């Protein structure tokens, strides 16, 4: 029987618990902030070191994803696969966390991006669905279609450098956007 929980705050501890025993971890967030990467970094590193398959996909929509966050993701562990969705101005706004363990599967969908505020003290709404193979498999299939879509590129030092340049150009045209997000985090 499925286990469904609503999280309106404090999603972070639930994610850390899932990461702790997961053999497969898939994260899909439109925006990734340095604070969110730091929140999960140790748990993700431990999971990678024990051989978990980890895939993270984030986007460049409105250039809210912080380049520093992407750099920190790259530094966690070399076996973590990271891809960047190139939105080309089209909305990219998903937030999903998918985990597989020996005992169960877990699919979380809601409003929490990868930021400390979203994972700890912000007002967010997320549903966690466990022990529902049909929903889990559909979510994983859709995740993989997104992760390997033509619009995504593998994140590495070279693509990160390009992202930095595009991020800086965008924020020169929209100077207050980065400051507002940074202050909120």
């Amino acid at each position: 029987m499925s286990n469904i929980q609503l999280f309106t705050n404090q999603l972070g501890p639930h994610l850390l618990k899932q990461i702790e025993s997961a053999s497969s971890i898939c994260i899909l967030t439109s925006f990734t902030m340095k604070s969110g990467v730091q929140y999960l970094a140790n748990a993700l590193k431990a999971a990678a070191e024990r051989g978990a398959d980890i895939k993270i996909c984030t986007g460049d929509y409105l250039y809210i994803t912080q380049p520093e966050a992407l750099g920190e993701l790259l530094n966690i562990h070399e076996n973590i696969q990271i891809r960047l969705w190139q939105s080309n101005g089209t909305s990219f706004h998903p937030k999903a966390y998918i985990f597989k363990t020996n005992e169960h599967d877990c699919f979380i969908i809601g409003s929490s991006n990868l930021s400390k505020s979203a994972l700890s003290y912000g007002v967010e709404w997320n549903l966690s669905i466990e022990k529902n193979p049909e929903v889990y498999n559909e979510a994983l299939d859709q995740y993989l279609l997104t992760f390997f879509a033509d619009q995504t590129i593998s994140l590495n030092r070279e693509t990160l450098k390009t992202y930095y340049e595009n991020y800086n150009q965008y924020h020169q045209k929209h100077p207050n956007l980065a400051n507002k997000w940074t202050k909120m985090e």
Side-chain angles (χ1 to χ4, degrees):
M1 175 176 253
S2 292
N3 178 18
I4 301 173
Q5 285 182 276
L6 173 65
F7 289 87
T8 58
N9 61 27
Q10 294 293 317
L11 179 64
H14 185 63
L15 293 180
L16 292 172
K17 182 180 175 187
Q18 294 296 326
I19 291 170
E20 189 176 277
S21 61
S23 58
S24 174
I25 301 165
C26 297
I27 297 174
L28 175 64
T29 60
S30 49
F31 309 138
T32 298
M33 310 304 273
K34 185 176 176 182
S35 64
V37 174
Q38 290 172 338
Y39 188 94
L40 296 181
N42 290 336
L44 290 171
K45 181 177 182 179
E49 287 175 349
R50 73 168 184 276
D53 178 29
I54 304 172
K55 292 177 176 59
I56 300 173
C57 185
T58 191
D60 70 358
Y61 182 54
L62 299 176
Y63 288 97
I64 293 173
T65 291
Q66 296 171 326
E68 298 84 1
L70 297 177
E72 291 212 8
L73 279 176
L74 285 174
N75 290 333
I76 294 173
H77 198 279
E78 63 189 16
N79 291 342
I80 297 176
Q81 298 175 60
I82 307 161
R83 295 186 68 82
L84 182 67
W85 179 277
Q86 298 177 301
S87 64
N88 296 316
T90 302
S91 176
F92 179 77
H93 214 241
K95 294 103 174 163
Y97 301 84
I98 306 169
F99 305 96
K100 184 78 167 171
T101 70
N102 291 335
E103 283 104 44
H104 70 280
D105 48 52
C106 178
F107 169 54
I108 301 166
I109 188 164
S111 62
S112 292
N113 278 300
L114 190 51
S115 71
K116 185 176 181 183
S117 63
L119 300 180
S120 55
Y121 54 84
V123 177
E124 304 282 346
W125 281 49
N126 298 280
L127 276 181
S128 175
I129 305 165
E130 294 184 23
K131 301 176 185 173
N132 188 321
E134 185 177 312
V135 171
Y136 175 86
N137 289 331
E138 183 177 351
L140 184 59
D141 289 347
Q142 290 300 315
Y143 175 87
L144 292 173
L145 286 173
T146 302
F147 190 79
F148 292 114
D150 290 341
Q151 292 94 331
T152 66
I153 58 169
S154 180
L155 187 67
N156 55 47
R157 297 291 169 208
E158 191 60 36
T159 56
L160 177 57
K161 181 180 174 191
T162 302
Y163 183 79
Y164 260 109
E165 292 166 1
N166 294 339
Y167 177 92
N168 287 333
Q169 287 174 2
Y170 184 87
H171 287 283
Q172 284 176 354
K173 293 178 186 174
H174 307 36
N176 293 325
L177 186 61
N179 291 337
K180 288 177 185 175
W181 277 99
T182 302
K183 284 180 185 175
M184 286 174 42
E185 282 302 313

